[in-house]
PDB file of all heavy atoms in Angstrom:
ATOM      1  N   SER K   1      48.217 -70.209  80.163  1.00  0.00           N
ATOM      2  CA  SER K   1      48.330 -71.141  78.970  1.00  0.00           C
ATOM      3  C   SER K   1      47.198 -72.203  79.085  1.00  0.00           C
ATOM      4  O   SER K   1      46.795 -72.637  78.026  1.00  0.00           O
ATOM      5  CB  SER K   1      49.690 -71.754  79.056  1.00  0.00           C
ATOM      6  OG  SER K   1      50.667 -70.867  78.716  1.00  0.00           O
ATOM      7  N   ASP K   2      46.846 -72.632  80.251  1.00  0.00           N
ATOM      8  CA  ASP K   2      45.850 -73.632  80.418  1.00  0.00           C
ATOM      9  C   ASP K   2      44.432 -73.023  80.360  1.00  0.00           C
ATOM     10  O   ASP K   2      43.440 -73.816  80.441  1.00  0.00           O
ATOM     11  CB  ASP K   2      46.001 -74.350  81.802  1.00  0.00           C
ATOM     12  CG  ASP K   2      47.204 -75.180  81.838  1.00  0.00           C
ATOM     13  OD1 ASP K   2      47.851 -75.534  80.705  1.00  0.00           O
ATOM     14  OD2 ASP K   2      47.609 -75.590  82.907  1.00  0.00           O
ATOM     15  N   GLY K   3      44.262 -71.713  80.171  1.00  0.00           N
ATOM     16  CA  GLY K   3      42.991 -71.143  80.101  1.00  0.00           C
ATOM     17  C   GLY K   3      42.250 -70.859  81.403  1.00  0.00           C
ATOM     18  O   GLY K   3      41.067 -70.678  81.413  1.00  0.00           O
ATOM     19  N   LEU K   4      43.005 -71.043  82.531  1.00  0.00           N
ATOM     20  CA  LEU K   4      42.325 -70.918  83.847  1.00  0.00           C
ATOM     21  C   LEU K   4      42.341 -69.529  84.415  1.00  0.00           C
ATOM     22  O   LEU K   4      41.532 -69.204  85.221  1.00  0.00           O
ATOM     23  CB  LEU K   4      43.118 -71.885  84.831  1.00  0.00           C
ATOM     24  CG  LEU K   4      43.073 -73.368  84.407  1.00  0.00           C
ATOM     25  CD1 LEU K   4      43.781 -74.196  85.377  1.00  0.00           C
ATOM     26  CD2 LEU K   4      41.609 -73.849  84.265  1.00  0.00           C
ATOM     27  N   ILE K   5      43.206 -68.681  83.855  1.00  0.00           N
ATOM     28  CA  ILE K   5      43.180 -67.336  84.228  1.00  0.00           C
ATOM     29  C   ILE K   5      43.464 -66.461  82.927  1.00  0.00           C
ATOM     30  O   ILE K   5      43.807 -67.042  81.928  1.00  0.00           O
ATOM     31  CB  ILE K   5      44.286 -66.894  85.230  1.00  0.00           C
ATOM     32  CG1 ILE K   5      45.744 -67.114  84.716  1.00  0.00           C
ATOM     33  CG2 ILE K   5      44.121 -67.643  86.616  1.00  0.00           C
ATOM     34  CD1 ILE K   5      46.829 -66.505  85.626  1.00  0.00           C
ATOM     35  N   GLU K   6      43.201 -65.188  83.035  1.00  0.00           N
ATOM     36  CA  GLU K   6      43.564 -64.358  81.878  1.00  0.00           C
ATOM     37  C   GLU K   6      44.166 -63.076  82.449  1.00  0.00           C
ATOM     38  O   GLU K   6      43.809 -62.593  83.565  1.00  0.00           O
ATOM     39  CB  GLU K   6      42.290 -64.113  80.998  1.00  0.00           C
ATOM     40  CG  GLU K   6      41.147 -63.407  81.766  1.00  0.00           C
ATOM     41  CD  GLU K   6      39.929 -63.230  80.863  1.00  0.00           C
ATOM     42  OE1 GLU K   6      39.966 -63.818  79.663  1.00  0.00           O
ATOM     43  OE2 GLU K   6      38.923 -62.665  81.311  1.00  0.00           O
ATOM     44  N   ALA K   7      45.007 -62.449  81.598  1.00  0.00           N
ATOM     45  CA  ALA K   7      45.753 -61.234  82.021  1.00  0.00           C
ATOM     46  C   ALA K   7      45.101 -60.116  81.230  1.00  0.00           C
ATOM     47  O   ALA K   7      44.761 -60.189  79.998  1.00  0.00           O
ATOM     48  CB  ALA K   7      47.209 -61.389  81.650  1.00  0.00           C
ATOM     49  N   THR K   8      44.906 -58.992  81.964  1.00  0.00           N
ATOM     50  CA  THR K   8      44.501 -57.764  81.256  1.00  0.00           C
ATOM     51  C   THR K   8      45.460 -56.677  81.767  1.00  0.00           C
ATOM     52  O   THR K   8      46.006 -56.672  82.768  1.00  0.00           O
ATOM     53  CB  THR K   8      43.048 -57.408  81.649  1.00  0.00           C
ATOM     54  OG1 THR K   8      42.940 -57.265  83.149  1.00  0.00           O
ATOM     55  CG2 THR K   8      42.036 -58.447  81.151  1.00  0.00           C
ATOM     56  N   GLU K   9      45.521 -55.614  80.887  1.00  0.00           N
ATOM     57  CA  GLU K   9      46.244 -54.469  81.230  1.00  0.00           C
ATOM     58  C   GLU K   9      45.368 -53.403  81.775  1.00  0.00           C
ATOM     59  O   GLU K   9      44.472 -52.947  81.045  1.00  0.00           O
ATOM     60  CB  GLU K   9      47.209 -53.997  80.145  1.00  0.00           C
ATOM     61  CG  GLU K   9      48.206 -52.986  80.574  1.00  0.00           C
ATOM     62  CD  GLU K   9      49.203 -52.638  79.477  1.00  0.00           C
ATOM     63  OE1 GLU K   9      49.602 -53.552  78.733  1.00  0.00           O
ATOM     64  OE2 GLU K   9      49.575 -51.425  79.379  1.00  0.00           O
ATOM     65  N   VAL K  10      45.629 -52.883  82.989  1.00  0.00           N
ATOM     66  CA  VAL K  10      44.881 -51.765  83.493  1.00  0.00           C
ATOM     67  C   VAL K  10      45.887 -50.702  83.987  1.00  0.00           C
ATOM     68  O   VAL K  10      46.705 -50.904  84.849  1.00  0.00           O
ATOM     69  CB  VAL K  10      44.065 -52.262  84.734  1.00  0.00           C
ATOM     70  CG1 VAL K  10      43.313 -51.080  85.363  1.00  0.00           C
ATOM     71  CG2 VAL K  10      43.145 -53.326  84.370  1.00  0.00           C
ATOM     72  N   ALA K  11      45.681 -49.544  83.375  1.00  0.00           N
ATOM     73  CA  ALA K  11      46.618 -48.384  83.642  1.00  0.00           C
ATOM     74  C   ALA K  11      48.144 -48.821  83.620  1.00  0.00           C
ATOM     75  O   ALA K  11      48.872 -48.433  84.512  1.00  0.00           O
ATOM     76  CB  ALA K  11      46.273 -47.790  85.048  1.00  0.00           C
ATOM     77  N   GLY K  12      48.444 -49.507  82.570  1.00  0.00           N
ATOM     78  CA  GLY K  12      49.828 -49.950  82.416  1.00  0.00           C
ATOM     79  C   GLY K  12      50.335 -51.064  83.273  1.00  0.00           C
ATOM     80  O   GLY K  12      51.488 -51.426  83.360  1.00  0.00           O
ATOM     81  N   GLN K  13      49.430 -51.667  84.118  1.00  0.00           N
ATOM     82  CA  GLN K  13      49.755 -52.668  84.968  1.00  0.00           C
ATOM     83  C   GLN K  13      48.996 -54.040  84.568  1.00  0.00           C
ATOM     84  O   GLN K  13      47.791 -54.001  84.323  1.00  0.00           O
ATOM     85  CB  GLN K  13      49.340 -52.341  86.393  1.00  0.00           C
ATOM     86  CG  GLN K  13      49.702 -53.321  87.468  1.00  0.00           C
ATOM     87  CD  GLN K  13      49.284 -52.766  88.850  1.00  0.00           C
ATOM     88  OE1 GLN K  13      48.044 -52.649  89.057  1.00  0.00           O
ATOM     89  NE2 GLN K  13      50.258 -52.517  89.710  1.00  0.00           N
ATOM     90  N   CYS K  14      49.717 -55.122  84.598  1.00  0.00           N
ATOM     91  CA  CYS K  14      49.201 -56.373  84.196  1.00  0.00           C
ATOM     92  C   CYS K  14      48.430 -56.927  85.445  1.00  0.00           C
ATOM     93  O   CYS K  14      48.945 -57.087  86.518  1.00  0.00           O
ATOM     94  CB  CYS K  14      50.270 -57.422  83.787  1.00  0.00           C
ATOM     95  SG  CYS K  14      49.564 -58.908  83.115  1.00  0.00           S
ATOM     96  N   ARG K  15      47.143 -57.284  85.197  1.00  0.00           N
ATOM     97  CA  ARG K  15      46.336 -57.806  86.346  1.00  0.00           C
ATOM     98  C   ARG K  15      45.715 -59.170  85.809  1.00  0.00           C
ATOM     99  O   ARG K  15      45.513 -59.309  84.635  1.00  0.00           O
ATOM    100  CB  ARG K  15      45.180 -56.855  86.636  1.00  0.00           C
ATOM    101  CG  ARG K  15      45.730 -55.536  87.130  1.00  0.00           C
ATOM    102  CD  ARG K  15      44.637 -54.553  87.414  1.00  0.00           C
ATOM    103  NE  ARG K  15      43.787 -54.864  88.561  1.00  0.00           N
ATOM    104  CZ  ARG K  15      44.169 -54.630  89.821  1.00  0.00           C
ATOM    105  NH1 ARG K  15      45.194 -54.081  90.163  1.00  0.00           N
ATOM    106  NH2 ARG K  15      43.216 -54.919  90.776  1.00  0.00           N
ATOM    107  N   TYR K  16      45.514 -60.117  86.735  1.00  0.00           N
ATOM    108  CA  TYR K  16      45.084 -61.366  86.390  1.00  0.00           C
ATOM    109  C   TYR K  16      43.708 -61.632  87.030  1.00  0.00           C
ATOM    110  O   TYR K  16      43.408 -61.151  88.162  1.00  0.00           O
ATOM    111  CB  TYR K  16      46.012 -62.404  86.909  1.00  0.00           C
ATOM    112  CG  TYR K  16      47.455 -62.242  86.335  1.00  0.00           C
ATOM    113  CD1 TYR K  16      48.437 -61.390  86.984  1.00  0.00           C
ATOM    114  CD2 TYR K  16      47.817 -62.910  85.101  1.00  0.00           C
ATOM    115  CE1 TYR K  16      49.604 -61.189  86.447  1.00  0.00           C
ATOM    116  CE2 TYR K  16      49.081 -62.643  84.647  1.00  0.00           C
ATOM    117  CZ  TYR K  16      49.957 -61.774  85.247  1.00  0.00           C
ATOM    118  OH  TYR K  16      51.248 -61.577  84.699  1.00  0.00           O
ATOM    119  N   ARG K  17      42.945 -62.531  86.320  1.00  0.00           N
ATOM    120  CA  ARG K  17      41.603 -62.844  86.881  1.00  0.00           C
ATOM    121  C   ARG K  17      41.316 -64.208  86.482  1.00  0.00           C
ATOM    122  O   ARG K  17      41.752 -64.759  85.418  1.00  0.00           O
ATOM    123  CB  ARG K  17      40.529 -61.916  86.545  1.00  0.00           C
ATOM    124  CG  ARG K  17      40.196 -61.857  84.988  1.00  0.00           C
ATOM    125  CD  ARG K  17      39.039 -61.023  84.728  1.00  0.00           C
ATOM    126  NE  ARG K  17      38.968 -60.776  83.276  1.00  0.00           N
ATOM    127  CZ  ARG K  17      38.828 -59.682  82.667  1.00  0.00           C
ATOM    128  NH1 ARG K  17      38.776 -58.566  83.322  1.00  0.00           N
ATOM    129  NH2 ARG K  17      38.704 -59.560  81.392  1.00  0.00           N
ATOM    130  N   LEU K  18      40.441 -64.956  87.291  1.00  0.00           N
ATOM    131  CA  LEU K  18      40.008 -66.325  86.919  1.00  0.00           C
ATOM    132  C   LEU K  18      39.115 -66.255  85.688  1.00  0.00           C
ATOM    133  O   LEU K  18      38.233 -65.343  85.594  1.00  0.00           O
ATOM    134  CB  LEU K  18      39.248 -66.936  88.081  1.00  0.00           C
ATOM    135  CG  LEU K  18      39.978 -67.418  89.241  1.00  0.00           C
ATOM    136  CD1 LEU K  18      39.028 -67.827  90.369  1.00  0.00           C
ATOM    137  CD2 LEU K  18      40.898 -68.625  88.910  1.00  0.00           C
ATOM    138  N   THR K  19      39.181 -67.193  84.834  1.00  0.00           N
ATOM    139  CA  THR K  19      38.247 -67.403  83.814  1.00  0.00           C
ATOM    140  C   THR K  19      37.072 -68.327  84.350  1.00  0.00           C
ATOM    141  O   THR K  19      37.225 -68.851  85.508  1.00  0.00           O
ATOM    142  CB  THR K  19      38.872 -68.237  82.581  1.00  0.00           C
ATOM    143  OG1 THR K  19      39.335 -69.412  82.976  1.00  0.00           O
ATOM    144  CG2 THR K  19      39.972 -67.429  81.999  1.00  0.00           C
ATOM    145  N   HIS K  20      36.025 -68.504  83.540  1.00  0.00           N
ATOM    146  CA  HIS K  20      34.983 -69.428  84.046  1.00  0.00           C
ATOM    147  C   HIS K  20      35.550 -70.830  84.312  1.00  0.00           C
ATOM    148  O   HIS K  20      35.217 -71.427  85.264  1.00  0.00           O
ATOM    149  CB  HIS K  20      33.868 -69.372  82.919  1.00  0.00           C
ATOM    150  CG  HIS K  20      32.711 -70.274  83.400  1.00  0.00           C
ATOM    151  ND1 HIS K  20      31.846 -69.819  84.345  1.00  0.00           N
ATOM    152  CD2 HIS K  20      32.262 -71.408  82.849  1.00  0.00           C
ATOM    153  CE1 HIS K  20      30.893 -70.796  84.461  1.00  0.00           C
ATOM    154  NE2 HIS K  20      31.121 -71.737  83.591  1.00  0.00           N
ATOM    155  N   ALA K  21      36.389 -71.234  83.382  1.00  0.00           N
ATOM    156  CA  ALA K  21      36.988 -72.595  83.556  1.00  0.00           C
ATOM    157  C   ALA K  21      37.906 -72.647  84.774  1.00  0.00           C
ATOM    158  O   ALA K  21      37.949 -73.655  85.508  1.00  0.00           O
ATOM    159  CB  ALA K  21      37.804 -73.011  82.336  1.00  0.00           C
ATOM    160  N   GLY K  22      38.612 -71.581  85.048  1.00  0.00           N
ATOM    161  CA  GLY K  22      39.414 -71.460  86.276  1.00  0.00           C
ATOM    162  C   GLY K  22      38.692 -71.583  87.551  1.00  0.00           C
ATOM    163  O   GLY K  22      39.107 -72.220  88.462  1.00  0.00           O
ATOM    164  N   ALA K  23      37.563 -70.860  87.480  1.00  0.00           N
ATOM    165  CA  ALA K  23      36.698 -70.812  88.717  1.00  0.00           C
ATOM    166  C   ALA K  23      36.104 -72.233  89.031  1.00  0.00           C
ATOM    167  O   ALA K  23      36.152 -72.711  90.199  1.00  0.00           O
ATOM    168  CB  ALA K  23      35.557 -69.799  88.639  1.00  0.00           C
ATOM    169  N   GLY K  24      35.771 -72.954  87.972  1.00  0.00           N
ATOM    170  CA  GLY K  24      35.221 -74.328  88.096  1.00  0.00           C
ATOM    171  C   GLY K  24      36.313 -75.246  88.571  1.00  0.00           C
ATOM    172  O   GLY K  24      36.088 -76.067  89.416  1.00  0.00           O
ATOM    173  N   THR K  25      37.516 -75.128  87.983  1.00  0.00           N
ATOM    174  CA  THR K  25      38.694 -75.916  88.402  1.00  0.00           C
ATOM    175  C   THR K  25      38.977 -75.691  89.849  1.00  0.00           C
ATOM    176  O   THR K  25      39.270 -76.649  90.601  1.00  0.00           O
ATOM    177  CB  THR K  25      39.827 -75.661  87.472  1.00  0.00           C
ATOM    178  OG1 THR K  25      39.490 -76.064  86.176  1.00  0.00           O
ATOM    179  CG2 THR K  25      41.065 -76.512  87.914  1.00  0.00           C
ATOM    180  N   LEU K  26      39.064 -74.442  90.272  1.00  0.00           N
ATOM    181  CA  LEU K  26      39.366 -74.135  91.626  1.00  0.00           C
ATOM    182  C   LEU K  26      38.359 -74.630  92.540  1.00  0.00           C
ATOM    183  O   LEU K  26      38.692 -75.236  93.607  1.00  0.00           O
ATOM    184  CB  LEU K  26      39.357 -72.543  91.842  1.00  0.00           C
ATOM    185  CG  LEU K  26      39.630 -72.047  93.281  1.00  0.00           C
ATOM    186  CD1 LEU K  26      41.034 -72.574  93.726  1.00  0.00           C
ATOM    187  CD2 LEU K  26      39.582 -70.555  93.215  1.00  0.00           C
ATOM    188  N   SER K  27      37.054 -74.623  92.267  1.00  0.00           N
ATOM    189  CA  SER K  27      36.031 -75.119  93.072  1.00  0.00           C
ATOM    190  C   SER K  27      36.216 -76.674  93.251  1.00  0.00           C
ATOM    191  O   SER K  27      36.112 -77.232  94.428  1.00  0.00           O
ATOM    192  CB  SER K  27      34.669 -74.896  92.487  1.00  0.00           C
ATOM    193  OG  SER K  27      33.599 -75.367  93.267  1.00  0.00           O
ATOM    194  N   ILE K  28      36.531 -77.372  92.201  1.00  0.00           N
ATOM    195  CA  ILE K  28      36.745 -78.862  92.243  1.00  0.00           C
ATOM    196  C   ILE K  28      37.924 -79.121  93.138  1.00  0.00           C
ATOM    197  O   ILE K  28      37.931 -80.053  93.953  1.00  0.00           O
ATOM    198  CB  ILE K  28      36.928 -79.380  90.861  1.00  0.00           C
ATOM    199  CG1 ILE K  28      35.528 -79.364  90.040  1.00  0.00           C
ATOM    200  CG2 ILE K  28      37.409 -80.828  90.901  1.00  0.00           C
ATOM    201  CD1 ILE K  28      35.699 -79.658  88.604  1.00  0.00           C
ATOM    202  N   ARG K  29      39.038 -78.420  92.908  1.00  0.00           N
ATOM    203  CA  ARG K  29      40.234 -78.637  93.677  1.00  0.00           C
ATOM    204  C   ARG K  29      40.075 -78.353  95.272  1.00  0.00           C
ATOM    205  O   ARG K  29      40.584 -79.091  96.083  1.00  0.00           O
ATOM    206  CB  ARG K  29      41.421 -77.961  93.154  1.00  0.00           C
ATOM    207  CG  ARG K  29      41.859 -78.465  91.784  1.00  0.00           C
ATOM    208  CD  ARG K  29      43.046 -77.866  91.251  1.00  0.00           C
ATOM    209  NE  ARG K  29      43.418 -78.459  89.996  1.00  0.00           N
ATOM    210  CZ  ARG K  29      44.330 -78.050  89.168  1.00  0.00           C
ATOM    211  NH1 ARG K  29      45.119 -77.014  89.501  1.00  0.00           N
ATOM    212  NH2 ARG K  29      44.533 -78.592  88.067  1.00  0.00           N
ATOM    213  N   ILE K  30      39.283 -77.372  95.579  1.00  0.00           N
ATOM    214  CA  ILE K  30      39.006 -77.009  96.886  1.00  0.00           C
ATOM    215  C   ILE K  30      38.238 -78.143  97.533  1.00  0.00           C
ATOM    216  O   ILE K  30      38.462 -78.552  98.682  1.00  0.00           O
ATOM    217  CB  ILE K  30      38.347 -75.672  97.079  1.00  0.00           C
ATOM    218  CG1 ILE K  30      39.307 -74.552  96.751  1.00  0.00           C
ATOM    219  CG2 ILE K  30      37.639 -75.557  98.507  1.00  0.00           C
ATOM    220  CD1 ILE K  30      38.704 -73.177  96.734  1.00  0.00           C
ATOM    221  N   ALA K  31      37.219 -78.643  96.871  1.00  0.00           N
ATOM    222  CA  ALA K  31      36.410 -79.808  97.329  1.00  0.00           C
ATOM    223  C   ALA K  31      37.258 -81.014  97.526  1.00  0.00           C
ATOM    224  O   ALA K  31      37.128 -81.702  98.566  1.00  0.00           O
ATOM    225  CB  ALA K  31      35.332 -80.104  96.319  1.00  0.00           C
ATOM    226  N   MET K  32      38.178 -81.253  96.664  1.00  0.00           N
ATOM    227  CA  MET K  32      39.096 -82.439  96.845  1.00  0.00           C
ATOM    228  C   MET K  32      40.024 -82.234  98.074  1.00  0.00           C
ATOM    229  O   MET K  32      40.195 -83.194  98.854  1.00  0.00           O
ATOM    230  CB  MET K  32      39.978 -82.677  95.592  1.00  0.00           C
ATOM    231  CG  MET K  32      39.182 -83.147  94.341  1.00  0.00           C
ATOM    232  SD  MET K  32      40.162 -83.182  92.773  1.00  0.00           S
ATOM    233  CE  MET K  32      41.651 -83.892  93.272  1.00  0.00           C
ATOM    234  N   MET K  33      40.628 -81.072  98.234  1.00  0.00           N
ATOM    235  CA  MET K  33      41.408 -80.816  99.306  1.00  0.00           C
ATOM    236  C   MET K  33      40.694 -80.980 100.677  1.00  0.00           C
ATOM    237  O   MET K  33      41.131 -81.488 101.632  1.00  0.00           O
ATOM    238  CB  MET K  33      42.136 -79.443  99.237  1.00  0.00           C
ATOM    239  CG  MET K  33      43.181 -79.334  98.201  1.00  0.00           C
ATOM    240  SD  MET K  33      43.991 -77.740  98.260  1.00  0.00           S
ATOM    241  CE  MET K  33      42.870 -76.659  97.467  1.00  0.00           C
ATOM    242  N   SER K  34      39.433 -80.397 100.709  1.00  0.00           N
ATOM    243  CA  SER K  34      38.526 -80.549 101.836  1.00  0.00           C
ATOM    244  C   SER K  34      38.383 -81.969 102.260  1.00  0.00           C
ATOM    245  O   SER K  34      38.363 -82.323 103.460  1.00  0.00           O
ATOM    246  CB  SER K  34      37.286 -79.800 101.631  1.00  0.00           C
ATOM    247  OG  SER K  34      37.459 -78.393 101.532  1.00  0.00           O
ATOM    248  N   ARG K  35      38.127 -82.789 101.223  1.00  0.00           N
ATOM    249  CA  ARG K  35      37.880 -84.260 101.458  1.00  0.00           C
ATOM    250  C   ARG K  35      39.153 -84.867 102.083  1.00  0.00           C
ATOM    251  O   ARG K  35      38.940 -85.616 103.026  1.00  0.00           O
ATOM    252  CB  ARG K  35      37.528 -84.886 100.177  1.00  0.00           C
ATOM    253  CG  ARG K  35      37.339 -86.355 100.313  1.00  0.00           C
ATOM    254  CD  ARG K  35      36.786 -87.044  98.967  1.00  0.00           C
ATOM    255  NE  ARG K  35      36.757 -88.450  99.060  1.00  0.00           N
ATOM    256  CZ  ARG K  35      37.815 -89.117  98.610  1.00  0.00           C
ATOM    257  NH1 ARG K  35      38.844 -88.600  97.890  1.00  0.00           N
ATOM    258  NH2 ARG K  35      37.814 -90.455  98.679  1.00  0.00           N
ATOM    259  N   PHE K  36      40.316 -84.481 101.572  1.00  0.00           N
ATOM    260  CA  PHE K  36      41.506 -85.087 102.095  1.00  0.00           C
ATOM    261  C   PHE K  36      41.810 -84.617 103.607  1.00  0.00           C
ATOM    262  O   PHE K  36      42.189 -85.396 104.409  1.00  0.00           O
ATOM    263  CB  PHE K  36      42.779 -84.756 101.265  1.00  0.00           C
ATOM    264  CG  PHE K  36      42.736 -85.444  99.970  1.00  0.00           C
ATOM    265  CD1 PHE K  36      42.867 -84.859  98.782  1.00  0.00           C
ATOM    266  CD2 PHE K  36      42.795 -86.890  99.998  1.00  0.00           C
ATOM    267  CE1 PHE K  36      42.875 -85.543  97.546  1.00  0.00           C
ATOM    268  CE2 PHE K  36      42.793 -87.600  98.787  1.00  0.00           C
ATOM    269  CZ  PHE K  36      42.855 -86.911  97.521  1.00  0.00           C
ATOM    270  N   VAL K  37      41.440 -83.343 103.796  1.00  0.00           N
ATOM    271  CA  VAL K  37      41.596 -82.842 105.208  1.00  0.00           C
ATOM    272  C   VAL K  37      40.664 -83.476 106.127  1.00  0.00           C
ATOM    273  O   VAL K  37      41.044 -83.953 107.287  1.00  0.00           O
ATOM    274  CB  VAL K  37      41.401 -81.291 105.155  1.00  0.00           C
ATOM    275  CG1 VAL K  37      41.234 -80.760 106.625  1.00  0.00           C
ATOM    276  CG2 VAL K  37      42.538 -80.570 104.455  1.00  0.00           C
TER     277      VAL K  37
END
């Protein structure tokens, strides 16, 4: 819903992948967590 991942159907199975926005958000959050650690 937030546009961070998208679902696709492959051989009748729902699969998820990061969107470009999701990859950027993940990168930022990992950097923040690393800083706190």
Side-chain angles (χ1 to χ4, degrees):
S1 294
D2 292 344
L4 301 176
I5 65 171
E6 59 187 6
T8 57
E9 190 171 321
V10 177
Q13 185 179 63
C14 188
R15 299 177 68 84
Y16 301 91
R17 67 176 169 229
L18 283 174
T19 62
H20 183 70
T25 298
L26 178 60
S27 182
I28 290 167
R29 289 186 179 173
I30 288 171
M32 288 171 47
M33 286 187 282
S34 294
R35 181 174 167 262
F36 288 124
V37 168

